[in-house]
Amino acid sequence: MTRLSALIILLAAAGAMTPAVKTGGDARICATLSEVSSSGAGPFLLVFFSTACPSCYDELFEARLAVETAGWPLTVVGICSGPLDELKHFLAKYAWTLPVVYDRRKLLFKKFRVETVPYKAVLIGGETAYRDDPYLEYGRRWEDLRSWLKKRFSH
């Protein structure tokens, strides 16, 4: 079990995380970031995605793998605004187990000025610490984010 998974289980057992909706798998669909953790302040690696976007699938799992492999103290949170039934199907089909915020009214999309998906941002202490540059090529965006995360979280 990874440290991130253990932390999520520990927080859930302590009542710090209130699940909004359970999917067929272990993923929780939340209405807000504050449902993901008691403070809602992170640190989070937010991955904005669409269930109709094939590269978004890769982005979610690549983010989880990068965080778990490096042991960075971040919670990967998916952010989706598409139809709820499609989101539930997507999460069950791909066995996604980390929290997802169902941003029905696109409040987080607007807050982070997300115009296209996939898109990543890091939230620390309620403040945006990192944003993707949507004009960079996909691989370059990952290089930039990994470099930033290494500087910020690796010791």
Side-chain angles (χ1 to χ4, degrees):
M1 179 181 310
T2 65
R3 285 187 274 173
L4 179 61
S5 298
L7 177 62
I8 290 172
I9 291 168
L10 181 63
L11 288 173
M17 299 166 66
T18 308
V21 176
K22 284 283 198 178
T23 63
D26 291 334
R28 290 179 310 109
I29 300 175
C30 305
T32 64
L33 283 173
S34 61
E35 289 182 20
V36 175
S37 78
S38 59
S39 69
F44 299 123
L45 172 53
L46 306 177
V47 181
F48 292 83
F49 73 100
S50 165
T51 57
C53 168
S55 63
C56 292
Y57 165 86
D58 294 336
E59 193 90 357
L60 279 169
F61 284 89
E62 210 169 313
R64 182 177 75 185
L65 178 64
V67 168
E68 289 178 355
T69 301
W72 293 318
L74 294 162
T75 300
V76 177
V77 180
I79 312 288
C80 184
S81 65
L84 184 58
D85 58 332
E86 290 179 17
L87 176 59
K88 288 179 182 178
H89 176 74
F90 177 90
L91 298 175
K93 178 178 179 180
Y94 295 111
W96 182 255
T97 57
L98 298 178
V100 173
V101 174
Y102 176 53
D103 192 21
R104 184 177 56 87
R105 296 186 346 221
K106 291 194 170 190
L107 298 177
L108 291 172
F109 275 75
K110 291 173 188 169
K111 177 180 179 176
F112 290 93
R113 293 181 239 132
V114 177
E115 297 176 14
T116 185
V117 292
Y119 180 87
K120 295 175 296 305
V122 176
L123 186 66
I124 300 174
E127 299 294 323
T128 305
Y130 177 90
R131 290 177 197 268
D132 258 351
D133 180 345
Y135 298 106
L136 290 179
E137 181 266 326
Y138 173 77
R140 176 63 194 271
R141 291 189 307 171
W142 259 113
E143 288 173 24
D144 287 357
L145 175 58
R146 280 194 180 103
S147 174
W148 186 89
L149 290 169
K150 284 177 186 175
K151 288 177 189 172
R152 176 82 168 117
F153 296 111
S154 296
H155 304 291

